[in-house]
Amino acid sequence: MSTIYYNASMFDGKSKEITRNTWFEVTDSKISQVGTGNPAKKADENIDLKGKYVTPGLINAHTHMMMNPVTNKLEYLSETEVTATAIQNLRDLLESGVTYIRDCGCAFNTDIKLRDFAKEHNLEAPGIVASGRPMSMTGGHGDFKEGANGEIDWSYLTDSPDEMRKSVRTALKIGADNIKVMATGGVMSAGDNIDDTALTPEEMKVAVEEAHHKGKKVAAHAQGNSGIQNALDAGVDSIEHGIYVDEKQADYMVKHNVYLVPTLNAAASISKYGRDKLPSYMIRKNDQVKADFFKNVSLAFKKGVKVIVGTDAGTPFNSFKTGTWEEMQLLVNEIGATPSQALLSATQYAADLLGISDNYGTLEPGKFADFLVLDQDPTQSVDAITQVDKLVFQHGKQIK
């Protein structure tokens, strides 16, 4: 079965420009041909897009599918709660136009299990790069209370290089695509501060060594400056959040192709919606860093660091339905990106970070037909991506 979509205005993810009067053929879930002008052939079905705008499906490189952004419950969760919440969140992401995600920490390794389940069953969800349970230190960011049945449900607690080696090997054995390490404290944890360092450089170096040996990447939750430096010294592939990234670190990241996934919408959502609903420590820490956060990410972006769209979806009031759009708007309105740069951060560059660029991130022959159809030009206004009734296609099939 082949379908030709013609009379499209295409942002293909390779260029920053729109190509008018484009056509592309989808055959058996993949793009088989792309051209301009009149299609070179007839297909089983031919669809006139009437000049509407086509982009690659969006990629959100930092989610927590297990979290409910309204209840904000993290402690004493059962595996049933986590799974039910994740399935709804995945559906919300897909309907919003997100066709691939990287999940950055999930209790019970539910992201790994749902990724595998989707391969054999009809689970309508974005593609998943799964991290499983993250690596934390005892008492650090990510060390939440025991699960409902008495088991530790959130992090591998690692307090030495040897413990890290065994934990990473265990995560890789059960199918983690990515290893998440906690290099600093965080806004959401009551017992530490953003400037606190957590896992040591030696511990994180072991994580990098084991992951890279298996062809996997390491993402570091790193907010304070010293913890960011520790993570960079350890050789991680991406800095998540990066609140106090400095000029020297940005230069290093450009030179060594280390990505920055700032999750700006996490801070924006707490500030906008959480003031009378969240613990005072969380509001205090968020208020202390938000202005510096946006300023430092802007500095890194302008120095050439590849800044990737990831939202920390699931953190307080950080929606799976709208958060990806809001992150792209923040990149444009607060960080200084153009709409085209924000689109690349959610498509081609994100696919590179996730290691899926052979099949996703751009619209070209041989890649899966994950794409959106929009009424307005997203290279002129990033707000075009917020269209609620946009058409979303995954592997050539429209999501209803």
Side-chain angles (χ1 to χ4, degrees), residues 205-261:
K205 282 177 184 176
V206 168
V208 170
E209 177 185 331
E210 291 295 329
H212 285 184
H213 176 66
K214 296 291 188 182
K216 310 297 184 184
K217 293 183 179 180
V218 177
H221 164 101
Q223 298 188 349
N225 183 266
S226 295
I228 293 170
Q229 191 61 52
N230 287 345
L232 292 175
D233 290 344
V236 302
D237 300 285
S238 66
I239 297 293
E240 311 295 309
H241 317 303
I243 293 173
Y244 282 102
V245 64
D246 64 24
E247 207 167 337
K248 183 178 177 182
Q249 291 166 341
D251 289 336
Y252 178 92
M253 292 171 73
V254 172
K255 182 177 179 180
H256 295 275
N257 200 35
V258 180
Y259 295 78
L260 175 60
V261 188

Side-chain angles (χ1 to χ4, degrees), residues 17 34 43 50 55 63-64 85 87 90 92 123 157 176 209 235 241 254 266 307 334 368 371 377 379 384:
E17 309 298 329
V34 178
K50 300 179 180 178
T55 76
T63 68
H64 293 285
T85 298
I87 288 172
L90 289 168
D92 288 342
L123 178 65
L157 298 182
E209 177 185 331
H241 317 303
V254 172
V307 173
E334 301 290 342
F368 283 108
F371 62 95
D377 184 349
T379 68

Side-chain angles (χ1 to χ4, degrees), residues 162-225:
D162 285 345
E163 289 182 358
M164 176 66 79
R165 194 176 303 278
K166 182 165 186 179
S167 295
V168 172
R169 287 176 175 178
T170 300
L172 294 171
K173 175 183 176 181
I174 64 175
D177 301 308
N178 177 75
I179 298 299
K180 172 77 174 297
V181 297
M182 302 296 197
T184 69
V187 170
M188 289 181 60
S189 43
D192 56 39
N193 293 307
I194 288 163
D195 286 336
D196 291 351
T197 58
L199 294 172
T200 66
E202 291 73 22
E203 289 163 347
M204 289 187 284
K205 282 177 184 176
V206 168
V208 170
E209 177 185 331
E210 291 295 329
H212 285 184
H213 176 66
K214 296 291 188 182
K216 310 297 184 184
K217 293 183 179 180
V218 177
H221 164 101
Q223 298 188 349
N225 183 266

Side-chain angles (χ1 to χ4, degrees), residues 104-340:
C104 281
C106 193
F108 306 105
N109 299 307
T110 298
D111 56 344
I112 296 173
K113 295 170 185 176
L114 287 177
R115 178 204 66 199
D116 292 345
F117 182 87
K119 293 175 183 176
E120 304 295 334
H121 301 84
N122 183 27
L123 178 65
E124 288 197 325
I128 299 168
V129 169
S131 302
R133 293 161 59 203
M135 308 292 153
S136 183
M137 73 173 195
T138 299
H141 187 72
D143 181 6
F144 296 114
K145 292 187 174 119
E146 292 183 351
N149 298 316
E151 72 276 37
I152 298 295
D153 67 1
W154 174 249
S155 295
Y156 296 92
L157 298 182
T158 61
D159 296 301
S160 71
D162 285 345
E163 289 182 358
M164 176 66 79
R165 194 176 303 278
K166 182 165 186 179
S167 295
V168 172
R169 287 176 175 178
T170 300
L172 294 171
K173 175 183 176 181
I174 64 175
D177 301 308
N178 177 75
I179 298 299
K180 172 77 174 297
V181 297
M182 302 296 197
T184 69
V187 170
M188 289 181 60
S189 43
D192 56 39
N193 293 307
I194 288 163
D195 286 336
D196 291 351
T197 58
L199 294 172
T200 66
E202 291 73 22
E203 289 163 347
M204 289 187 284
K205 282 177 184 176
V206 168
V208 170
E209 177 185 331
E210 291 295 329
H212 285 184
H213 176 66
K214 296 291 188 182
K216 310 297 184 184
K217 293 183 179 180
V218 177
H221 164 101
Q223 298 188 349
N225 183 266
S226 295
I228 293 170
Q229 191 61 52
N230 287 345
L232 292 175
D233 290 344
V236 302
D237 300 285
S238 66
I239 297 293
E240 311 295 309
H241 317 303
I243 293 173
Y244 282 102
V245 64
D246 64 24
E247 207 167 337
K248 183 178 177 182
Q249 291 166 341
D251 289 336
Y252 178 92
M253 292 171 73
V254 172
K255 182 177 179 180
H256 295 275
N257 200 35
V258 180
Y259 295 78
L260 175 60
V261 188
T263 70
L264 303 165
N265 203 49
S269 296
I270 289 173
S271 182
K272 188 173 182 179
Y273 301 112
R275 296 208 169 272
D276 58 349
K277 301 178 179 69
L278 295 173
S280 59
Y281 74 83
M282 204 178 293
I283 300 299
R284 172 182 54 80
K285 287 197 279 186
N286 195 65
D287 285 348
Q288 285 174 346
V289 305
K290 184 185 170 191
D292 288 340
F293 184 16
F294 285 22
K295 179 187 71 176
N296 293 335
V297 172
S298 180
L299 176 147
F301 173 76
K302 289 170 182 174
K303 289 187 81 61
V305 175
K306 283 188 178 175
V307 173
I308 305 302
V309 169
T311 63
D312 219 4
T315 54
F317 310 104
N318 191 352
S319 170
F320 290 86
K321 294 180 180 179
T322 62
T324 309
W325 314 338
E326 291 162 350
E327 186 77 17
M328 295 172 74
Q329 289 173 314
L330 288 166
L331 285 178
V332 172
N333 298 329
E334 301 290 342
I335 303 307
T338 65
S340 293

